[in-house]
């Protein structure tokens, strides 16, 4: 029995066991920043209101017209887009490549998990602020509705593998499932990951395996 | 039978069938350029000889002290390392991210396959040259000795899948096997791919599947 035949049998078995939808549209996140109301004031002036440039695919989120400059020990990155609305804590999401440009090492974290993450200086038109933590490289993840979770057989907090086809095809491991009524089905990866797979915005990925489930109730 | 059990069985079967070495050290290639003797003359002056900065892992290849600037319609990239010795045709290898910086789209190609690839302008201390083709994004590949090929059960021209572990783990598809007496066992990926997997120079990858074989004699 050769390897190809084994592979075919495995694929058939897995397909029969799963019998579930597997395709997810992928969105490529460029570097961006979420500002706390306080930092928005310090960078743009008191009671400043962000102007919407366009809506994002996740409900109520928008890309602002305003941008800031990030400054690190080795370099700066201009025109970093602000995503609105202003919210709890300031969080800056960059690629590892951006980290080299700035001269800092952003840890790979899930959004919101910024404790002990990297420091960076943020320059706005009316001021500058250095955050002691909040600079991260966002871990790859999939947003979905609870009904999507039911259909895919996964729950919030599970990890899956997602395959992207093509000459530069890859299978991404450790893709976090995030389930909420507020989410639209979409996988988020950064620019480094998109380039590594030569992947364009909106391309489909395929969930090929469930790696870790937080409970057996997920299926 | 749950998914985890299926996965374990599959891994056992595959391991038993293969019974072969699977680990390969990975080297991360930064952007670089190979110059033809003619272009070396035009950029650095007639009969210029490159100075060696350090030997590369592949025999007889070296990184030169000299660098050039790449110029595209949207931007330039300075300090692009020349690899020596000077050889047949000029070939420039950049990441897709570098392509955005320059404003060009380097096709993903195997080294040496530059027909119809992208154009770029190269600036040296004594002159400038615009190549109509030669700018590529190098396709991921593994160099190995014929004895390595025998041990791994692969031949020149085969394609394999390589897994990289860790929180940002990925499985790279379409990894070309290149076999020659002149090669040292090493997988080459670019900066985008290294960042996507949060992978450092010298880390080990594991060949987890043979995707396509040019002949049955490979195993």
């Amino acid at each position: 029995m050769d390897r190809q035949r084994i592979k075919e049998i495995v694929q058939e078995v897995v397909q029969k066991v799963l019998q579930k939808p597997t395709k997810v549209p992928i969105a490529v996140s460029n570097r961006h920043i979420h500002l706390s109301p306080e930092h928005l004031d310090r960078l743009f002036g008191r009671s400043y209101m962000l102007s919407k440039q366009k809506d994002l695919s996740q409900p109520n989120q928008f890309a602002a017209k305003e941008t800031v400059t990030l400054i690190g020990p080795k370099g700066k990155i201009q025109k970093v887009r602000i995503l609105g609305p202003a919210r709890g804590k300031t969080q800056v999401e960059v690629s590892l490549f951006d980290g080299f440009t700035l001269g800092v090492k952003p840890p790979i974290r899930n959004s919101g998990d910024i404790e002990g993450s990297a420091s960076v200086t943020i320059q706005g038109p009316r001021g500058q602020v250095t955050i002691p933590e909040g600079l991260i490289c966002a871990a790859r993840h999939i947003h979905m509705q609870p009904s999507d979770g039911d259909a895919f057989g996964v729950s919030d907090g599970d990890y899956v593998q997602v395959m992207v086809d093509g000459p530069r095809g890859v299978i991404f491991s450790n893709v976090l499932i995030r389930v909420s009524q507020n989410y639209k089905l979409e996988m988020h990866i950064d620019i480094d990951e998109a380039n590594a797979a030569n992947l364009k915005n909106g391309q489909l990925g395929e969930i090929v395996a469930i790696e870790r489930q937080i409970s057996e109730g997920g299926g």
Side-chain angles (χ1 to χ4, degrees), chain A residues 170-205:
Chain A
V170 304
I171 298 170
F172 292 111
S173 288
N174 295 321
V175 182
L176 175 66
I177 298 290
R178 299 181 61 191
V179 179
S180 161
Q181 299 271 4
N182 299 321
Y183 292 153
K184 187 189 144 199
L185 180 63
E186 199 169 65
M187 176 169 172
H188 288 183
I189 61 173
D190 75 5
I191 298 262
D192 289 338
E193 293 169 317
N195 284 335
N198 194 19
L199 183 150
K200 302 286 169 268
N201 234 335
Q203 200 174 319
L204 293 177

Side-chain angles (χ1 to χ4, degrees), chain A residues 17-147:
Chain A
V17 173
L18 293 179
Q19 289 282 16
K20 284 176 177 152
T22 54
K23 304 276 187 178
V24 177
I26 302 180
V28 183
S29 302
N30 201 347
R31 62 181 81 99
H32 61 269
I33 182 167
H34 304 275
L35 283 172
S36 68
E38 179 211 339
H39 288 161
L40 181 62
D41 281 5
R42 283 172 62 184
L43 296 173
F44 286 85
R46 202 178 297 174
S47 301
Y48 188 86
M49 295 289 286
L50 292 169
S51 306
K52 185 188 290 187
Q53 185 186 62
K54 63 169 184 177
D55 286 311
L56 297 180
S57 54
Q58 296 306 315
N60 302 319
Q61 302 290 303
F62 64 89
K65 286 181 182 159
E66 293 84 354
T67 62
V68 296
T69 297
L70 300 180
I71 305 170
K74 278 201 177 167
K76 56 174 74 175
I77 298 176
Q78 297 180 310
K79 296 189 181 171
V80 176
R81 186 69 52 194
I82 301 173
L83 301 194
R87 71 187 193 187
K89 284 195 173 180
T90 293
Q91 177 174 302
V92 189
E93 297 175 44
V94 298
S95 69
L96 294 183
F97 190 93
D98 289 337
F100 287 109
T101 304
L102 295 169
V104 293
K105 279 194 179 176
I108 293 155
R109 293 284 183 88
N110 297 324
S111 183
D113 175 18
I114 60 169
E115 197 183 320
S117 60
S119 169
V120 72
T121 296
I122 307 158
Q123 174 75 55
R126 302 285 289 275
Q128 198 182 67
V129 60
T130 298
I131 53 172
E133 62 184 21
L135 180 76
I136 65 169
C137 176
R140 49 182 81 126
H141 58 275
I142 298 175
H143 292 276
M144 58 173 69
Q145 287 274 324
S147 58

Side-chain angles (χ1 to χ4, degrees), chain A residues 159-174:
Chain A
Y159 284 86
V160 300
Q161 281 191 346
V162 176
M163 182 177 74
V164 175
D165 261 340
R168 230 183 188 196
V170 304
I171 298 170
F172 292 111
S173 288
N174 295 321

